[in-house]
Amino acid sequence: MGRNRSPTFKNRQAAGQRLGEALRERDITVDIVLAIPRGGLPIGRPVADALDAPLDIAVAKKIGAPNNPEYAIGAVAADGAVWLNTDVIEQREIPRDYVASTRAEMAEAARQKAQRYRSSESSPTLTGKRVCLVDDGVATGATARACIEQIRQADPERLVLAVPVASPRAMSDLEALVDEVVCLERPSAFRAVGQYYEQFEQVSDEAAMSYLAEK
């Protein structure tokens, strides 16, 4: 898909239904689906339902550049697993103490978010399990990388990354980190995840948590 004149997906739920169907068509079976909050949960619920698997979360926070927090120089997961874009950090000469302090701050924010979303204190056991990680799309891949690192440290049997749409470049990098990728659209003219959704409003914490409570 080169040009994308109209949105590919009506909303996140519709995208999740299509993603679930694609996973079933590939005969992919998993023991658990992990969604990246907040936008990944409306995707994760129909995927989990399609695969008849429980739904939980994988939480990571971006580490933003100095004076530009939206520009990710890395990401850190709730358990402290981290991915850093060392090339960018070196090119921009970003101080190590800034990276360390921001990493610690974002790790604590991710930990608190995971605790807020879960009804229990403990995270699910992933060792030896078949895991599917989902989100509403991949732009830079920073948060997905940190979540993948967190899941890998738990030694799952298999890890599948499933998203409706992604930057071809970011997804190419992520493919080497997981066992299988299911991505419905990799537009060559990718600019932002939201441009491929007709409805792409912000998902509140309350709305996101409601998907975990279903089924």
Side-chain angles (χ1 to χ4, degrees), residues 16-28 182 184:
Q17 289 169 0
R18 284 183 54 185
L19 193 59
E21 290 169 2
L23 287 158
R24 288 180 64 180
E25 287 173 2
R26 293 196 185 194
D27 292 324
I28 292 174
V182 177
L184 302 181

Side-chain angles (χ1 to χ4, degrees), residues 96-117:
R96 290 184 179 181
D97 58 349
Y98 169 85
V99 175
S101 63
T102 308
R103 170 182 173 176
E105 178 186 348
M106 291 299 101
E108 177 60 19
R111 188 193 66 79
Q112 290 181 4
K113 187 168 190 174
Q115 191 175 52
R116 186 166 70 251
Y117 270 62

Side-chain angles (χ1 to χ4, degrees), residues 32-34 55-57 118 120 122-127 129 154:
I32 190 168
V33 174
L34 300 181
L55 176 65
D56 208 282
I57 53 171
R118 287 195 177 102
S120 64
S122 60
S123 57
T125 300
L126 304 179
T127 305
K129 299 291 182 66

Side-chain angles (χ1 to χ4, degrees), residues 115-188:
Q115 191 175 52
R116 186 166 70 251
Y117 270 62
R118 287 195 177 102
S119 56
S120 64
E121 290 291 324
S122 60
S123 57
T125 300
L126 304 179
T127 305
K129 299 291 182 66
R130 297 163 297 176
V131 181
C132 180
L133 177 66
V134 302
D135 202 357
D136 55 13
V138 170
T140 66
T143 53
R145 278 176 177 262
C147 289
I148 289 168
E149 179 64 24
Q150 177 184 13
I151 295 166
R152 281 296 187 201
Q153 288 182 8
D155 194 24
E157 176 186 320
R158 185 170 180 79
L159 175 55
V160 177
L161 174 63
V163 294
V165 61
S167 154
R169 180 177 179 180
M171 187 53 74
S172 177
D173 292 338
L174 293 173
E175 278 181 323
L177 306 178
V178 297
D179 298 300
E180 188 169 355
V181 160
V182 177
C183 181
L184 302 181
E185 302 285 349
R186 303 188 194 198
S188 58

Side-chain angles (χ1 to χ4, degrees), residues 4-64:
N4 194 32
R5 296 170 183 261
S6 61
T8 306
F9 309 106
K10 180 179 179 181
N11 53 35
R12 290 181 178 89
Q13 291 88 343
Q17 289 169 0
R18 284 183 54 185
L19 193 59
E21 290 169 2
L23 287 158
R24 288 180 64 180
E25 287 173 2
R26 293 196 185 194
D27 292 324
I28 292 174
T29 57
V30 300
D31 299 303
I32 190 168
V33 174
L34 300 181
I36 301 176
R38 292 171 299 204
L41 278 161
I43 302 285
R45 172 44 62 196
V47 167
D49 290 347
L51 300 180
D52 194 24
L55 176 65
D56 208 282
I57 53 171
V59 183
K61 289 283 190 179
K62 286 191 300 186
I63 300 172

